[in-house]
Structures are given as structure tokens and as C-alpha cells.
Amino acid sequence: MTVATGELLVSLICLGGGALLLLVIFMAMYNSLIAKKNQVDYAYSGIDVQLKKRHDLIPNLVATVRQYMEHERALLERITELRARAISPNLPDSERMQVEAALSTALRSLMVAVENYPNLKANENFLHLQASLNEIEEQLAAARRAYNAAVTDYNNAIEMFPTNFVASMMGLSRRTVFEASEEERATPDVAQLFKQ
Amino acid sequence: MSGSADEFSQFYREQLEPILRSLEAERQQATQRFGQITLLSVVVGGLLTLLLAAAEVGLLAFLPLGGALLVILVAYGVLASEWSRQFKGRVLTRLVQFVSAELEYQPDRYISEEEFRESLLFQRDPDRYRGEDLIEGRVGQTTLRLSEVHAEYEIEHYDSKGNRYTTWHTLFRGLFIVADFNKHFHGITLVLPDVEQSLLGWFGQTLQGLSAKLGMQPGELVKLEDPDFERAFKVYSTDQIEARYILTPSLMERILHFRERTQSEIRLAFIASRLYVAIPTTHNYFEAPSLFAPVGELLKPETIGKYLHELQFALAVVDELNLNTRIWTKR
């Protein structure tokens, strides 16, 4: 082996090593981006699960309170209608979230209206449904926050150096976080409602 | 839970004062007895020492004096522990019952080492574990157990000659609380003091994430949106959504407030619908007053007021963390 071929071999090894290292770094970044993207999808499905639970609860809730709440017919009808729209399969995603937000607002007003019906508040079945609804709303809030945290993490990764290069190669784009509505931001103190 | 000033003064007058009077008499008797024993031992020991010294037996002459000292120490130990037992059994038991009839006080028992380990709050297991002053029962709808705990670990060293010696270090000392949480959950969520992030910022958080990936902490790092909370604590959980279901914005605020109130680096673990809280402190809670307290000290209302405060502090976790709010499916 001549000196020249020796040098060539060394530089080839260096080149190969460098390329391998780059490949490993690229793979690591690629995989972490995929993991973050999946985390977002997973968190989104967490929201979905709770929304479905809420859809399942509503008919039962409406049926229970209807006998007591004569003056809230309009509100109950609105809730039933919103639920029907929310579960219809051909609703686009953006509109669906609006419908769910409206449903949240309507359910909250229903829970406030309940305070005017002492008989209802003594109904064991209703109390059970109310606790379940509180549970779902609490889980829903948690799922939304988890989703927002996952999205923030993901957005940071696709905008920060050096993962932003890999992300643009993969064609990943920013996602938007859930904006809490005005009413939601003023955290409803459910405990307070119970004390009245 | 009762504890208003009026209720307390009535309870103090009617129930505690008679007991405290008889205890004070007993305490004075005990100190008298200790005085007699001391005097007798010193006199007898001194005389024997003088006699032996006269017989010129050398250093052996001091043996009786040493014996006298031993008798005095043993007498003190016996009398002081009996005094502490009487005080805790007759006064603190009633005080705990006054605060809540559903609570029970057991001075010699404590949170088990097994429960301490189950909390996963500390990264290593203790080699020596002690405790006292168990309070057990219910406050409102919340079942809880709490006690003082002192957990230590041992480190082996070798000196230059290769001889092995060990030193003991405190892993945790303070109040340890196990309470029933007001929501159902299945996973593990740990709220630990944040050291790395406050020192190293963004890089510290990366390290925290890594320590979960390496299996040093259960689950993964949870990044929460409350900046004050994030500065004070780091959170690990086996479930990102469940961690947020437990740590609502309002609970995070309450935990921060509780940390301020305790002025210590509290740790919280949420495991299988239970809450573990570790409040480190060097103060010895629920300790009987000294056997040699000034005459009448015991009968001052402040003396007992101090115990009431300690008790309310230890039970404050229920109100501070709002554990009695049961509006979700867990009753």
C-alpha cells in the first residue's frame, strides 16, 4: 500500500464517519419530530374521548331535568339541537369545535339555572348526572391543556434551530392551540354554585 | 373540624384545665423525686468515693461517682418518658379529638416505611427509618393519616488505611401525610421541587426530561402553563392528561400558596387516587413540654395554644388543597 492510497483510505473513513454521524443526527431529529406530532394527535384524541362522553350524557341529563324545569324549554331544546349537530358525521372540524364551544356555554347556563329548582337538586339521579358532567368537563379541560402543551412543544420544535430544517423537509406546519373563550377563562367556580 | 377561639376556650376550661392541673401536680412530684434521687446518688456516691480514696485504690475510687451519674441519667430517662407519655396520652389525645371527633392520635405509631417508599417522592430508599405522633381519621370527607417521619441513608467511606466507616445523612425529616384525593385517577404524578430549571433554565428542563427518559423518574416530564408553578416545581407523570386533570390551574395556585405557608420545599405525589405530601421541617411537632418547665407554665393557655396551632398546621393540607370539595364522581 502506497502512502497516497493510505491517505485516501483515511479520508474516506473520515468522510464515511462524518456522513454516518449526520445521518444519525438527522434520524434523531426526524424521530423526535414524529414523536411530537403523534403526541399532538394523541392529545387531540383525548379531547375527542371526553366530547363523546359528553354527547352520551346529554340525552339522559335533558330527560331528567325536563320534568322539573318548565321555564327552561328553550335552553333544553337548544342543547339537544347542538348535540345533534355535534355528532353529525359530515361536520367540518373547524365548525365542530364551534358547536362544542356553544354546547359548553349552554350546559353551563343549564347548571346555573338548576339553582332555581330545589326539587331537582334533591333528585339523586340528577346529582349523579351533575357529578358526571363535572367530571367530564374537568377531564375535557385537562385534555385541552394537554393538547395545547403538546402543540406548543411541537411548534417550538418546528421553528427552532436546527430541527426547523428537518421539519420543513418533512413538510410539517404549525398547529394552532385552543383559545379559551372569555367565559372559560373566568374559571367557573363550580364549588361556589354548590354552596348556594 | 372545630377550632374557633370561643369553642377552644370553652373546651380548655371544661376539659383540659382539670387534667392540666393534675398533670402539673404530677410533674412537680416527678421533678421532686428526681431531685431526691439526684441528691441521694450524689451523697452516697460521694461518700463511697471518699472512703475508697482513703483506702488509696487509685482511680477506682471514682467508680461510685460514675455509678451515681448513671443512676441519675436512668432516672431522668424513665421520668421524662413517663411524663411525655402522660402528656401526650391525656392532653394531646383530647386536643386532637377537639379538632375533629373523627380523628385519633397515637403517639408511638407512625406512617410505615412501606408507605413512605410507595410515595416515590424520594429517589433512594431509606436505610434507617423512624417516626412518631400518628394522627389518623377523617377531616370532613377526607380520610388521612399523618405523622412525623425521619428517614436517613447511609454512605460508606474508606479512610486512607482502607478501614470502612459509615456516615448517616437525612433523606427526609418532617411531616408526612397520606390522604385520600378528591378525584379518581390511576397513574402516578409527582410534584417535586425544581432545582435544575431555576439554576440552568431551558437546559435544566431538558435535563429533567432526560431523567424521565432514563427511568430515574416515572413517566415523562409534564410542562404546565402556570409560570410561577413551573419555577417552583417540576412535574413527572405517567399520563399527560391525567396530570392536568389532577393539577388544575386552581390546584396549582393552591399548592403554591401551601408552599408559601409552610415555607419549605414540599413534595407531592398523586398515586392511585391517593395524595402523599412531604413537608420537610426540623421542628419537632407534638412534643411534650420539658419535665423541668417553670412552675405554672403548663397552665398557661399559650402553652396548649401552641399545640393547637401545630395540629391545625398539619391538617391544613385538607383545606389548602381543597380536598373536601367532592363535586366529581368520587364521593
Side-chain angles (χ1 to χ4, degrees):
Chain A
M1 197 163 62
T2 63
V3 180
T5 48
E7 271 177 9
L8 189 68
L9 203 63
V10 168
S11 45
L12 269 180
I13 289 172
C14 284
L15 209 66
L20 195 71
L21 191 69
L22 276 179
L23 188 71
V24 167
I25 292 174
F26 177 81
M27 268 166 56
M29 288 198 278
Y30 183 89
N31 287 345
S32 96
L33 282 167
I34 293 290
K36 288 192 163 74
K37 181 174 148 294
N38 288 344
Q39 186 68 37
V40 171
D41 293 338
Y42 172 74
Y44 190 82
S45 71
I47 299 176
D48 238 21
V49 169
Q50 297 306 325
L51 288 177
K52 283 211 180 69
K53 276 193 190 166
R54 193 164 77 170
H55 298 154
D56 294 345
L57 181 87
I58 288 171
N60 221 337
L61 182 70
V62 170
T64 308
V65 301
R66 179 162 277 149
Q67 317 151 35
Y68 295 86
M69 303 176 93
E70 312 85 23
H71 307 295
E72 320 290 341
R73 277 279 144 80
L75 181 59
L76 291 178
E77 264 159 33
R78 185 168 155 69
I79 289 173
T80 310
E81 185 221 308
L82 281 169
R83 175 193 175 264
R85 272 179 63 197
I87 58 170
S88 75
N90 41 20
L91 195 68
D93 255 8
S94 56
E95 212 173 306
R96 198 170 136 234
M97 284 304 145
Q98 277 174 11
V99 174
E100 291 294 354
L103 196 54
S104 297
T105 314
L107 282 170
R108 220 169 294 133
S109 350
L110 179 68
M111 285 306 144
V112 174
V114 160
E115 298 304 314
N116 302 325
Y117 301 88
N119 286 345
L120 187 53
K121 282 167 72 186
N123 181 322
E124 198 54 46
N125 191 25
F126 169 73
L127 289 177
H128 176 72
L129 285 167
Q130 192 180 32
S132 302
L133 184 64
N134 284 338
E135 177 84 31
I136 292 170
E137 294 291 351
E138 194 86 345
Q139 293 276 12
L140 195 56
R144 284 214 178 100
R145 288 166 58 217
Y147 175 79
N148 283 353
V151 168
T152 308
D153 218 26
Y154 166 83
N155 283 347
N156 282 344
I158 67 172
E159 285 180 2
M160 275 182 180
F161 178 82
T163 35
N164 54 348
F165 292 118
V166 185
S168 66
M169 269 157 50
M170 290 161 73
L172 298 176
S173 56
R174 272 184 71 91
R175 304 257 193 124
T176 44
V177 295
F178 270 103
E179 295 280 348
S181 66
E182 267 320 308
E183 294 146 76
E184 274 173 310
R185 219 168 278 153
T187 339
D189 193 349
V190 202
Q192 207 54 42
L193 294 177
F194 273 73
K195 280 177 194 150
Q196 285 165 356
Chain B
M1 199 155 85
S2 49
S4 78
D6 282 349
E7 280 174 308
F8 179 65
S9 56
Q10 190 194 357
F11 161 74
Y12 185 82
R13 267 197 320 276
E14 288 174 3
Q15 295 202 35
L16 283 189
E17 215 163 10
I19 296 168
L20 287 171
R21 278 187 197 291
S22 76
L23 266 178
E24 174 66 7
E26 284 173 35
R27 187 186 67 84
Q28 285 178 17
Q29 260 177 20
T31 49
Q32 265 173 21
R33 192 165 306 141
F34 179 70
Q36 290 161 358
I37 292 171
T38 308
L39 194 69
L40 198 69
S41 328
V42 169
V43 169
V44 172
L47 280 177
L48 282 176
T49 298
L50 282 180
L51 278 175
L52 285 176
E56 292 182 2
V57 289
L59 278 180
L60 210 63
F62 288 101
L63 200 66
L65 219 50
L69 196 68
L70 197 68
V71 168
I72 294 169
L73 283 176
V74 168
Y76 174 76
V78 169
L79 288 169
S81 80
E82 176 60 16
W83 157 246
S84 164
R85 210 173 63 82
Q86 288 293 334
F87 179 83
K88 287 180 169 187
R90 284 154 70 182
V91 178
L92 291 187
T93 311
R94 281 186 177 75
L95 198 63
V96 169
Q97 290 268 305
F98 162 72
V99 170
S100 166
E102 291 176 303
L103 287 176
E104 207 184 320
Y105 172 63
Q106 288 157 304
D108 299 328
R109 288 185 53 210
Y110 48 89
I111 299 285
S112 71
E113 184 174 343
E114 201 187 349
E115 262 178 308
F116 180 84
R117 284 172 196 250
E118 273 168 12
S119 78
L120 303 176
L121 283 175
F122 298 90
Q123 272 185 297
R124 54 157 72 218
D125 284 337
D127 298 314
R128 187 158 70 189
Y129 185 88
R130 287 170 294 169
E132 58 174 356
D133 298 316
L134 180 78
I135 295 171
E136 185 173 27
R138 279 161 73 94
V139 175
Q141 281 166 285
T142 306
T143 322
L144 87 170
R145 296 153 50 75
L146 68 96
S147 84
E148 280 194 296
V149 157
H150 190 188
E152 294 164 290
Y153 61 90
E154 195 179 17
I155 290 185
E156 281 185 17
H157 305 273
Y158 291 92
D159 64 13
S160 53
K161 287 174 193 149
N163 296 321
R164 178 179 165 278
Y165 68 100
T166 59
T167 49
W168 288 94
H169 303 264
T170 293
L171 180 63
F172 170 72
R173 179 176 186 180
L175 288 175
F176 197 86
I177 306 166
V178 186
D180 164 47
F181 196 63
N182 54 1
K183 290 175 180 172
H184 283 297
F185 53 85
H186 310 288
I188 299 168
T189 298
L190 300 182
V191 178
L192 305 173
D194 190 333
V195 192
E196 300 85 352
Q197 208 183 340
S198 48
L199 281 178
L200 303 169
W202 165 82
F203 184 64
Q205 199 176 39
T206 311
L207 282 185
Q208 289 167 0
L210 205 64
S211 83
K213 284 203 180 99
L214 295 176
M216 284 150 72
Q217 295 287 357
E220 43 193 309
L221 188 69
V222 180
K223 295 176 194 167
L224 294 161
E225 56 281 69
D226 184 334
D228 292 330
F229 190 84
E230 268 296 310
R231 254 193 295 282
F233 297 107
K234 55 179 174 184
V235 177
Y236 292 100
S237 178
T238 50
D239 184 333
Q240 292 276 347
I241 296 178
E242 195 174 85
R244 290 174 176 87
Y245 170 64
I246 297 165
L247 295 166
T248 59
S250 105
L251 189 68
M252 287 194 279
E253 241 169 69
R254 285 170 175 277
I255 292 174
L256 275 175
H257 184 262
F258 189 53
R259 175 173 176 264
E260 240 164 68
R261 178 168 170 178
T262 58
Q263 295 200 322
S264 59
E265 294 292 356
I266 55 170
R267 291 159 181 260
L268 299 97
F270 300 85
I271 301 172
S273 300
R274 269 195 312 278
L275 163 66
Y276 301 79
V277 187
I279 310 171
T281 161
T282 46
H283 177 72
N284 195 347
Y285 280 81
F286 317 120
E287 205 50 27
S290 162
L291 183 59
F292 300 112
V295 173
E297 176 88 1
L298 193 62
L299 293 168
K300 287 184 188 158
E302 305 94 87
T303 310
I304 300 303
K306 191 191 90 176
Y307 292 100
L308 184 67
H309 282 300
E310 288 186 354
L311 199 56
Q312 282 166 342
F313 175 80
L315 296 171
V317 66
V318 174
D319 283 334
E320 287 279 350
L321 303 188
N322 208 10
L323 299 182
N324 275 334
T325 298
R326 305 267 165 162
I327 58 169
W328 301 282
T329 46
K330 186 167 173 185
R331 290 282 141 186

